[in-house]
Amino acid sequence: MADEEGSVKVVITAEDQRALDSGAYHLISSEAAEDLVDQGGVTILDVRSPQEYGDGHLRDSLNIRYDSFDPLPPELEGLDRDAPVLAYCRTGNRARKTCAQLINNGFTNVYNMDKGILDWAGVTVAW
């Protein structure tokens, strides 16, 4: 399957879809994502481009492009694979791909913010 997000083509493979169908993947609303962030203990991944990140992002998020997860980026190597990870992008497509890749790398508690940052009503920060 392929999705278009701006000029970015996101391809979800059969292996990705199996990961997304697992119990490790959670598609949540922006309101639920805000609650998850407020609880603390979650790693937040902004998987958009550095330019998009610079325009505004969730506080304490790491900017790692969605196409940088095979193999797993060094920034994530030491993370507890059972701890929650929230991925987001502009509308949710790139984050969905990232979630599949995280699950395929052993992460068991992965969240995708449905509709991405476009639906986020909370505070964002810019560079």
Side-chain angles (χ1 to χ4, degrees):
M1 291 175 14
D3 293 307
E4 291 290 334
E5 182 156 330
S7 62
V8 178
K9 184 175 184 177
V10 179
V11 176
I12 300 296
T13 67
E15 180 183 11
D16 292 337
Q17 191 59 53
R18 281 190 296 277
L20 296 172
D21 290 340
S22 77
Y25 176 72
H26 312 283
L27 181 63
I28 60 173
S29 68
S30 59
E31 293 85 6
E34 190 168 7
D35 290 343
L36 183 66
V37 169
D38 288 346
Q39 291 172 17
V42 61
T43 298
I44 308 166
L45 302 177
D46 183 321
V47 300
R48 300 175 299 154
S49 71
Q51 180 179 350
E52 290 172 292
Y53 183 80
D55 290 341
H57 55 272
L58 276 60
R59 185 177 313 280
D60 300 324
S61 61
L62 299 172
N63 182 219
I64 305 173
R65 286 179 53 97
Y66 87 98
D67 56 0
S68 300
F69 284 82
D70 188 22
L72 192 67
E75 301 93 326
L76 303 181
E77 282 296 335
L79 291 181
D80 177 355
R81 299 290 206 271
D82 295 321
V85 177
L86 171 65
Y88 74 92
C89 59
R90 182 173 173 266
T91 63
N93 293 326
R94 289 175 281 181
R96 185 174 72 176
K97 175 73 172 181
T98 299
C99 288
Q101 292 169 323
L102 289 168
I103 293 165
N104 287 332
N105 277 285
F107 286 82
T108 63
N109 200 11
V110 180
Y111 295 84
N112 178 2
M113 184 166 65
D114 191 27
K115 301 178 187 160
I117 201 163
L118 290 180
D119 200 46
W120 179 259
V123 175
T124 61
V125 293
W127 288 353

